[in-house]
Amino acid sequence: MGRHSCCYKQKLRKGLWSPEEDEKLMNHITKHGHGCWSTVPKLAGLQRCGKSCRLRWINYLRPDLKRGAFSQEEEDLIIELHAVLGNRWSQIATRLPGRTDNEIKNLWNSSIKKKLRQKGIDPNTHKPLAEVEHSKAAPTISTERTSESSDVDPSSGGALGNLSHLLSETAQSPELLPVLGKHRKETTSLAHLRVPPKELFLDQLVSGHENLTSCRSTGPIPNFPFQQLMCYNDECGNKNGGNNNSFWFNQNEVRCSTIFTVMPTGSPLTFLTLT
DNA sequence: AAGTTGAACAACCGCGATAAT
DNA sequence: AATTATCGCGGTTGTTCAACT
């Protein structure tokens, strides 16, 4: 496990990017693609480490980024996905085309957490706060992790624990997850989620576990059934700013919208074979 | 007007995973 | 098989700016 070499290099710029730096990076990647990130700064004439260039590109310069405020639908979707995936922001981001993991993480920490608490929902466990407080006050041999610093952690087995909780709770009492009840009106795109929650979440888990690292470098390709959710972006008014310069979407020039078009709408596992 | 506070956003850091040698 | 280089992720910190006192 070698440390990232750039960590030790001196004389590299840090902090906010200037417009000139942005332009250099944009020009370079536009012409040559990023290739090996560690060589990008040198080739682009930047006094930055490759890691910094990569981050800047992914979080800010990529042409397929949506920018702007999150819609209510997006926020709701983030909450739902977080309930299943926990803090796996990159996984969540793959279901929100045009949004970055960093952006979603920031939104979660600065806004959504607060809103959930105001609604009486613990943002870490997605359970009612009263229930969480009660379990804190009277600790049992439960393996459930405590809140605050330890969010839902799918990788530790807690996810499945939480998932089973969610599966039963959401199926039976929508009020425990307001987004699944009050806010998901039939008029919203989330009405597409009218599939049994258990099937939906299991599909997600299966695809997530089998395909954990697949999306990042080749573009955020959403998995069914969320791909249906996202179709409204392209098919119902192109809400993502009408961004058609999609050749950036990944290096294989597979367009997100192309995948939506090509993919059959009913087979989540079929999709996995394409990634 | 100046200082303080908090929200939102941008970027960095450290680590694990994995490909390459 | 061991080591090294790189990538990608999540947590954390830093910066900016608006609202408030």
Side-chain angles (χ1 to χ4, degrees):
Chain A
M1 315 289 180
R3 306 277 331 114
H4 200 284
S5 58
C6 72
C7 297
Y8 300 109
K9 289 182 180 173
Q10 304 296 318
K11 291 186 176 180
L12 294 181
R13 264 181 60 83
K14 289 170 71 173
L16 296 181
W17 281 66
S18 68
E20 291 76 22
E21 288 178 306
D22 281 345
E23 192 180 350
K24 282 182 180 178
L25 183 59
M26 179 74 98
N27 285 339
H28 173 76
I29 297 182
T30 301
K31 287 177 186 169
H32 306 103
H34 63 70
C36 176
W37 280 112
S38 60
T39 64
V40 166
K42 188 178 179 182
L43 295 174
L46 291 162
Q47 300 296 312
R48 296 270 182 176
C49 70
K51 200 173 184 176
S52 181
C53 292
R54 174 184 161 272
L55 207 63
R56 184 63 177 172
W57 174 255
I58 288 172
N59 287 336
Y60 196 82
L61 295 176
R62 260 167 49 201
D64 58 305
L65 289 180
K66 192 184 282 185
R67 316 295 303 172
F70 280 75
S71 67
Q72 187 60 52
E73 284 82 3
E74 286 176 311
E75 286 194 21
D76 291 348
L77 182 56
I78 290 167
I79 294 167
E80 292 177 35
L81 289 167
H82 186 272
V84 180
L85 297 168
N87 289 1
R88 293 195 290 190
W89 305 114
S90 63
Q91 287 286 302
I92 293 173
T94 63
R95 272 78 172 183
L96 286 140
R99 302 297 189 182
T100 68
D101 52 357
N102 205 36
E103 205 176 4
I104 293 168
K105 181 171 59 181
N106 283 333
L107 180 74
W108 180 266
N109 288 326
S110 66
S111 173
I112 296 180
K113 260 186 175 179
K114 207 179 305 169
K115 288 182 185 174
L116 284 178
R117 287 202 182 97
Q118 285 170 357
K119 290 179 183 176
I121 303 290
D122 181 73
N124 301 310
T125 62
H126 294 261
K127 294 178 183 177
L129 276 172
E131 186 181 324
V132 175
E133 289 303 316
H134 181 264
S135 65
K136 274 185 186 172
T140 67
I141 55 174
S142 165
T143 57
E144 188 171 301
R145 299 174 65 179
T146 54
S147 60
E148 271 324 309
S149 62
S150 57
D151 289 353
V152 175
D153 182 5
S155 63
S156 69
L160 291 177
N162 275 314
L163 178 64
S164 61
H165 169 79
L166 279 162
L167 293 178
S168 57
E169 297 286 3
T170 56
Q172 293 162 18
S173 53
E175 67 273 15
L176 290 182
L177 275 179
V179 293
L180 293 175
K182 294 175 193 167
H183 297 298
R184 191 197 288 165
K185 296 174 179 159
E186 273 60 34
T187 54
T188 71
S189 63
L190 295 180
H192 287 279
L193 270 178
R194 287 292 179 214
V195 294
K198 189 172 281 188
E199 291 176 22
L200 182 152
F201 289 139
L202 287 177
D203 275 349
Q204 285 303 297
L205 269 193
V206 168
S207 62
H209 281 297
E210 292 186 5
N211 196 24
L212 277 178
T213 60
S214 63
C215 294
R216 208 58 198 175
S217 60
T218 54
I221 302 171
N223 291 337
F224 179 89
F226 292 100
Q227 65 178 9
Q228 286 187 322
L229 272 178
M230 290 300 111
C231 281
Y232 78 92
N233 277 335
D234 283 300
E235 297 173 3
C236 307
N238 202 9
K239 292 184 183 177
N240 61 2
N243 178 10
N244 288 321
N245 47 355
S246 53
F247 85 97
W248 280 112
F249 204 77
N250 64 46
Q251 293 175 339
N252 297 324
E253 300 191 13
V254 177
R255 296 184 52 177
C256 183
S257 57
T258 303
I259 292 170
F260 290 146
T261 305
V262 170
M263 277 299 298
T265 56
S267 64
L269 295 178
T270 307
F271 174 74
L272 295 175
T273 63
L274 296 177
T275 58

